[in-house]
Amino acid sequence: MKNSNIKRQKGMTLIELMVSMVVLAIMMSVAVPTMKGLFERKSIIEVGKFFDRSIKLARSEAINRNAVVRVQPTSASSNWSQGWHLEYTIVDDDGVTTTNEVIRTFPALAGDPSFSSAIFDGTTVFEILPNGQARTLGTFVLSYPDNCSVGVITYTVLLSGILQKRVAACP
């Protein structure tokens, strides 16, 4: 039996490959819905942190520039998911307003979340005063309407200009 004509098989047969692919497809069909919820939970937390950092930047810029910094939605409505920008007004030596300068623009949010504010709706502007305080108090609500498992994050603008975060279950 030492010098047998039987050749050793190298690699996989087509049937073995097809069976492996079917098993992989079944495993993926079970795992993908679970992973989607995980990514959305991670996404809503990351979006919240991103917004919080942008408000901290607005406070820092207001203090450094000794000017009022406005945080406004790009859509000029209560829908903040389309992005927002920070700007301040340049005043010349004569006290005449010359132009508004955009400090930074933040892009639209990925994943189609609902991010809105009943107070800061495009007509009422979110302003940070030169001392870092907020001129108007209000709230922002961040959620994914099609996935209630991630919950709702509410940000309340405090007088100090800092955001207070609360996480709640979906209604």
Side-chain angles (χ1 to χ4, degrees):
M1 287 291 244
K2 284 185 178 179
N3 294 334
S4 173
N5 285 339
I6 299 174
K7 295 183 180 179
R8 294 191 137 194
Q9 178 182 352
K10 296 180 182 176
M12 295 174 57
T13 65
L14 182 59
I15 293 176
E16 291 171 333
L17 181 62
M18 289 174 62
V19 168
S20 299
M21 294 304 289
V22 167
V23 169
L24 181 64
I26 291 170
M27 289 174 48
M28 291 298 290
S29 68
V30 171
V32 166
T34 306
M35 295 300 289
K36 182 182 179 203
L38 175 68
F39 287 133
E40 285 181 347
R41 278 192 296 278
K42 177 100 172 125
S43 179
I44 197 169
I45 291 168
E46 292 304 316
V47 167
K49 288 180 183 176
F50 181 64
F51 182 65
D52 189 36
R53 285 191 302 263
S54 69
I55 300 306
K56 287 178 181 175
L57 174 65
R59 288 186 72 231
S60 172
E61 290 292 329
I63 293 168
N64 288 340
R65 296 173 190 262
N66 195 28
V68 175
V69 172
R70 289 175 297 285
V71 184
Q72 297 186 10
T74 304
S75 64
S77 68
S78 63
N79 182 8
W80 288 69
S81 65
Q82 300 301 313
W84 59 91
H85 62 274
L86 310 178
E87 69 178 19
Y88 79 104
T89 303
I90 299 173
V91 180
D92 61 12
D93 294 335
D94 298 333
V96 178
T97 302
T98 57
T99 183
N100 289 339
E101 181 179 322
V102 174
I103 299 169
R104 183 161 178 201
T105 301
F106 297 91
L109 303 177
D112 198 30
S114 171
F115 188 41
S116 61
S117 174
I119 303 297
F120 306 113
D121 57 0
T123 56
T124 302
V125 180
F126 181 16
E127 293 181 320
I128 305 292
L129 302 173
N131 61 2
Q133 293 181 342
R135 179 168 291 178
T136 306
L137 305 180
T139 58
F140 293 90
V141 179
L142 174 62
S143 67
Y144 281 94
D146 59 340
N147 186 354
C148 197
S149 66
V150 270
V152 176
I153 298 177
T154 303
Y155 287 98
T156 303
V157 179
L158 303 176
L159 182 61
S160 62
I162 296 174
L163 297 177
Q164 180 182 29
K165 174 183 165 183
R166 283 185 309 224
V167 179
C170 291

